[in-house]
Amino acid sequence: MKRTEIKKLLERTDFGSLVNVKGWVRTKRGSKNVAFIALNDGSTIKNVQVVVDRNEDNTELLEQVNTGASLSVDGTLLESAGSGQKVEVHATNIELLGKADPNEYPLQPKKHSLEFLREKAHLRFRTNTFSAVARIRHSMIFAIHKFFTEEGFFNIHTPIITASDAEGAGEMFQVSTLDLNDIPKTEDGAVDFKQDFFGKAANLTVSGQLEAELGALALSKVYTFGPTFRAENSNTTRHLAEFWMIEPEVAFCDIYEDMDLAEDMLKYVIQYALDHCMDDLEFLSKRLQDEEKNKKADERSMELIEKLKFVLDKPFERITYTEAINILRNSKPNKKKKFQFPIDGWGADLQSEHERYLVEKHFKKPVILTDYPRDIKAFYMKQNDDGKTVRAMDVLFPQIGEIIGGSQREDDYDKLQQRMIEMDIPQESMWWYLETRKFGSVPHAGFGLGFERLILFLTGMGNIRDVIAFPRTPLNCEF
Ligand code: 4AD
Ligand code: MG
């Protein structure tokens, strides 16, 4: 018999039909005469209840139906008498596909800590929390492609292996086939990359932006959605060494239109989640409330679904970095020395505690900060006439801080070259980037959305390691 996925099965009303379901056992309970098996196949957060009449023939089999075991069940679709679900399957035949020894299977039907589950990442997809996150992740990938397609963008694939450092921050993983135990050296003792696979030093990309710019300067509107890699040694709840980034790039576009695009995109995908992921969001909302029930009222986060709607309701606040510094300097936590990094002058980079203060306490909505000091931003950003700031824009979100970083790009050849010299960006390896400013240069802008930070926000999960299936962080490359 053809398998029906549980998501589809739960919507059926043709009671009396014979059906087949397959899945993994979440729980088994019951009495002497009857067993109730909660079966889940990942198609939805909901389980289907399988009812089995115990008899001599199935006693042995039912003993092996433990949490984690996989089953194929033939049975009759019936209207459920129990509350909470509309249908159940009255089993006529059960096949045990794979056993799970209860003395060994780590995921027992009780609450496990997220830390424990991180060590069982090969199995954690089978929990409600991680399957919900995985389904929402999928929906967001789809929604992002849908948004950009509807807006007339073309998706381009930018390289994963590259010889340039797009952010100029030197946080790159090297890619080499040289024998690390016997590295060829040049006469002056440096590594001889001429003998390496590409004949030059190469690394994993930190951003697809530079190549996306090349695309935009021909196709007008492009975006990349790819993995990016950063060898920054930050062990925080918001940093990964391998993460996914969405980077649109638009020709004939300034920083204001760039901000509009960022706001429209975020609102579109959040609305999409509300329209298509409600079962999972409701589960995650309860999970969060449960986790925070011992916190003081003012330390609890806003209810998840309310928080998503809250972001949709109002226009994001748009202020300059300089205005933000003034607000922060005069803020209560700064005066009372509550910030870990006190704000005393103009020019320092903002920490997430500052970003979150602006969003959660001061404006009580997402904030877009623009016109940052040029010395804390990348070489490619368009310089303002004041000689001090650049046309950068960062979108700051509740709970997350920076979710998007973007800018209008420097489209003037001389200014870009000057900035590259000042910031020690090697021109030899980026001649192609400079050359676009020589031939038909136009104003253009773009941004990067950290995909996992978006998922953190949408799911209310507290640690970025829990919104990607197999997180890569310093000293952690298991699975
Ligand atoms: O602000 P970033 O470094 O900007 C860029 O890479 C630009 N090239 C984007 C562009 O204009 N096309 O990174 C963009 C976003 C951040 O706002 C953050 O959401 C996310 O990427 N991000 C990280 N997410 C997880 N782990 C990390 N280590 C991240 N670093 C940045
Ligand atoms: Mg940034």
Side-chain angles (χ1 to χ4, degrees), residues 59-129:
T59 310
E60 213 172 298
L61 178 103
L62 281 174
E63 263 166 33
Q64 305 206 54
V65 174
N66 296 307
T67 298
S70 47
L71 306 181
S72 173
V73 178
D74 294 330
T76 316
L77 187 69
L78 291 181
E79 194 161 9
S80 178
S83 66
Q85 44 197 329
K86 289 193 213 97
V87 312
E88 61 188 33
V89 174
H90 220 109
T92 48
N93 186 47
I94 294 184
E95 186 189 344
L96 183 71
L97 299 174
K99 304 188 256 200
D101 184 338
N103 297 317
E104 287 180 47
Y105 186 61
L107 305 182
Q108 289 308 311
K110 60 163 196 175
K111 207 170 154 42
H112 293 293
S113 76
L114 296 172
E115 290 78 10
F116 172 81
L117 291 172
R118 252 169 248 153
E119 286 168 13
K120 309 284 176 216
H122 57 308
L123 297 168
R124 68 178 179 168
F125 276 126
R126 294 194 195 177
T127 64
N128 283 332
T129 300

Side-chain angles (χ1 to χ4, degrees), residues 184-430:
K185 297 274 172 72
T186 58
E187 266 169 24
D188 49 11
V191 177
D192 186 6
F193 283 109
K194 285 214 170 65
Q195 297 190 41
D196 204 349
F197 189 90
F198 297 105
K200 57 163 94 170
N203 46 269
L204 295 177
T205 190
V206 295
S207 155
Q209 178 196 323
L210 303 190
E211 290 89 354
E213 284 187 51
L214 313 184
L217 293 173
L219 298 161
S220 285
K221 291 163 127 184
V222 300
Y223 70 106
T224 77
F225 188 162
T228 45
F229 308 87
R230 297 202 182 170
E232 55 186 328
N233 204 354
S234 7
N235 248 315
T236 79
T237 54
R238 293 169 307 106
H239 286 88
L240 290 164
E242 176 180 293
F243 63 100
W244 290 72
M245 188 155 45
I246 296 96
E247 295 182 274
E249 194 67 36
V250 187
F252 318 108
C253 175
D254 63 19
I255 191 177
Y256 303 103
E257 293 160 305
D258 199 30
M259 288 191 270
D260 291 342
L261 179 69
E263 185 168 341
D264 288 350
M265 180 202 64
L266 285 168
K267 287 181 170 171
Y268 181 98
V269 299
I270 292 167
Q271 184 64 55
Y272 190 92
L274 288 168
D275 292 343
H276 295 88
C277 308
M278 212 28 125
D279 288 349
D280 289 321
L281 289 175
E282 276 171 358
F283 170 80
L284 290 166
S285 168
K286 284 203 201 87
R287 193 202 75 84
L288 187 63
Q289 282 170 318
D290 202 40
E291 193 182 84
E292 295 192 335
K293 67 173 183 272
N294 294 330
K295 282 192 181 175
K296 285 193 226 127
D298 64 333
E299 285 171 4
R300 273 179 226 149
S301 23
M302 195 189 266
E303 190 276 324
L304 183 62
I305 293 159
E306 197 186 322
K307 183 184 80 177
L308 303 188
K309 290 186 177 154
F310 171 83
V311 166
L312 294 180
D313 279 351
K314 306 182 194 96
F316 296 178
E317 187 72 31
R318 300 181 184 191
I319 59 164
T320 64
Y321 166 90
T322 306
E323 288 166 324
I325 287 290
N326 288 335
I327 292 168
L328 289 166
R329 201 190 280 144
N330 297 316
S331 69
K332 247 196 216 158
N334 198 50
K335 288 187 172 154
K336 291 191 168 167
K337 307 222 174 332
K338 287 271 165 65
F339 284 140
Q340 200 189 336
F341 298 89
I343 298 278
D344 40 18
W346 191 92
D349 208 354
L350 298 184
Q351 304 295 325
S352 85
E353 56 178 349
H354 309 130
E355 296 171 340
R356 293 185 59 176
Y357 174 83
L358 290 170
V359 172
E360 293 166 21
K361 298 280 187 302
H362 191 83
F363 288 110
K364 298 195 167 57
K365 57 177 160 170
V367 177
I368 312 185
L369 285 193
T370 60
D371 302 288
Y372 281 77
R374 65 176 203 162
D375 291 337
I376 57 170
K377 289 291 182 184
F379 69 95
Y380 51 69
M381 296 191 181
K382 186 163 183 64
Q383 297 171 48
N384 282 322
D385 292 337
D386 63 10
K388 278 169 35 188
T389 59
V390 285
R391 306 246 86 180
M393 67 105 180
D394 278 8
V395 181
L396 314 180
F397 254 39
Q399 179 208 343
I400 309 294
E402 179 191 338
I403 194 164
I404 280 181
S407 66
Q408 188 171 335
R409 319 306 187 187
E410 184 54 80
D411 51 9
D412 180 282
Y413 186 94
D414 294 330
K415 284 191 187 153
L416 179 61
Q417 188 180 42
Q418 183 57 35
R419 200 64 192 137
M420 287 172 84
I421 293 167
E422 284 166 9
M423 294 180 79
D424 266 338
I425 307 291
Q427 288 181 60
E428 318 80 70
S429 62
M430 284 204 214

